[in-house]
Each structure stands twice: as C-alpha cells, then as structure tokens.
Amino acid sequence: MTEPQAAVAEANQRFYRAFEALNLGEMDKVWARGEHVKCVHPGWPLLSGWVAVRASWEAIFNGTGEIRFTIADVQVTVHGALAWVTCTENILSQIGERVAVTSVLATNIFEHGPDGWLMLHHHASHVLGGGTQA
Amino acid sequence: MTEPQAAVAEANQRFYRAFEALNLGEMDKVWARGEHVKCVHPGWPLLSGWVAVRASWEAIFNGTGEIRFTIADVQVTVHGALAWVTCTENILSQIGERVAVTSVLATNIFEHGPDGWLMLHHHASHVLGGGTQA
C-alpha cells in the first residue's frame, strides 16, 4: 500500500470508529462539508448535503444501542486529491431488543484538503445471501 | 451544468443505454479497463477487475428478456479527471415470466482519459419502500 493509500485507509477506519462509538463529534471530523456531500444508508434514499447527512447520523446514533464493525476486503484507489474505498462491513448491532448480524458493502469517496482526507460520499448496501456471482 | 458535468452525464446515459440494449459491445465502450474497475450489482458481492465485471454483464444480459430504465435525480460532481454521479434507476424488467418494477440507487465513478469519460465503478442498491429518512 502506498503512503496516500494508507492515509485514505486510516480516514476510512476513523469513519468506522466514529460510527462504532456513536460519536457525532468524531463523525463531524470525518466528513467534508457542502452540498456535494452525499450518503446512502442501506435501503435508504439518497441524502444530499452535509446538513441532511449529519441529521441521519444523529438519528442513527440516537436509535442504536450498540454496534460493532469488522471491516474486511478494504481496497483503496487514489487519484490525485480524490480517493475511494470499497470494503465489507460485517456488523453486529443492537437496535431496541433486536440483535442483528449483517454484511454490508460500502463505497466511500474521500477528498484530500488542508484537513487531510475527508469523506464526501458513503454508499452502503446489504449483500444478500446467495447473490448470483458471474 | 458545466461542460465537464454535461460530458459525465452523457457518459452516464451511455451506460444505461448499453444496459437497456443488453449490448455487451456498447458496454465495453463505457467502461475503463484494469483491476481497479469495480462493480456492485444490487444485493451482489463486490466484483473486482474488468474481467469479472464484464462477465457479470454478460450473465445479466443473457438472463434478461427486457429492461427499461427511467433515470432520475442525476447529480454530477467533477473533480479534475475524476467524477461521480448519483442517480435513481427506475427499472421495468422482465426476467423469465416475471415483470418487476424496482427503484435502485446508483453511485457511478468515471475517469477522464484519451477515450473520454469511462466508468471505473458502479455501485447499485435497492431503495426499500418506507426507508426511514432523517
């Protein structure tokens, strides 16, 4: 892994640490600002702009008792000041009384600026069991 | 929409035209080549590298009788020689005897090179009815 790839992988880890900690202040540090910031939670419609994205994290954090991530298959592509990561999120979560184990595939886009690599885009979707693979 | 944004939107349209036409030759022209090319079909695991991605299109095209896209909510962000698009794919498809109408959210990443804007990454996932929106 090159140095920029490692820095992007570290930014990606920070994102999942903030998510796992259900810590909105840490999540604030992970993301870029602006209208071009976008987020797709599994099964949700697209959220556009930092205000909507942040509100979604606030709602998710408030509604989540405990969540644990095991991140696998991390692949980083760096393209100048832009980079994207694909990874599998193996998630153990507790929402209300329900404990769930799910596998989610994520595409995370990051931008490099004065504050390092910040997330611009998060697209997460469930991997269905028995999906056809060509 | 700026000129580069319009060119990316056009590349995005070419992708859906090739898909709708179930035309592998046209799909070949839409995509970049290489190991960093990736694709997530709705519910599928990640496919890495052009060979695996192309094989998936071949399998999908062979298994699909008819498919019609209405693409909505197209948002284009250009970042030098890299760009990404989010859009909603409203899909009418016939697989075997079954006709289905589905709504899919896509993140499509494109790279600009000598052959224009080529697709590097396609992540598509179902939007579930009644998804919570913060």
Side-chain angles (χ1 to χ4, degrees), chain A residues 43 79 107 111 121 123 125 128, chain B residues 43 79 107 111 121 123 125 128:
Chain A
H79 223 283
T107 297
E111 179 185 29
H121 188 86
H123 185 159
S125 62
L128 305 180
Chain B
H79 222 283
T107 297
E111 179 184 28
H121 188 86
H123 186 158
S125 62
L128 304 179

Side-chain angles (χ1 to χ4, degrees), chain A residues 48-125:
Chain A
S48 269
W50 169 241
V51 173
V53 171
R54 187 179 197 273
S56 75
W57 290 117
E58 196 166 15
I60 288 170
F61 289 179
N62 286 338
T64 306
E66 190 169 351
I67 188 160
R68 289 287 167 262
F69 288 94
T70 307
I71 303 302
D73 313 321
V74 177
Q75 296 189 47
V76 182
T77 308
V78 179
H79 223 283
L82 213 77
W84 64 101
V85 176
T86 55
C87 58
T88 305
E89 310 170 355
N90 295 297
I91 306 174
L92 186 73
S93 63
Q94 186 178 355
I95 297 176
E97 295 293 298
R98 199 165 58 88
V99 173
V101 181
T102 47
S103 187
V104 165
L105 222 152
T107 297
N108 298 323
I109 306 178
F110 294 87
E111 179 185 29
H112 192 261
D115 297 322
W117 289 97
L118 295 177
M119 187 172 271
L120 284 178
H121 188 86
H122 171 64
H123 185 159
S125 62

Side-chain angles (χ1 to χ4, degrees), chain B residues 54-114:
Chain B
R54 187 180 196 272
S56 76
W57 290 117
E58 196 167 15
I60 288 169
F61 288 0
N62 286 338
T64 305
E66 189 169 352
I67 189 160
R68 290 287 167 263
F69 288 94
T70 307
I71 304 301
D73 313 321
V74 178
Q75 296 189 48
V76 182
T77 308
V78 179
H79 222 283
L82 213 76
W84 65 99
V85 176
T86 55
C87 58
T88 305
E89 311 170 355
N90 295 297
I91 305 175
L92 185 74
S93 63
Q94 185 178 354
I95 298 176
E97 296 292 298
R98 198 165 59 88
V99 173
V101 181
T102 47
S103 187
V104 165
L105 222 152
T107 297
N108 298 324
I109 306 179
F110 295 88
E111 179 184 28
H112 193 261

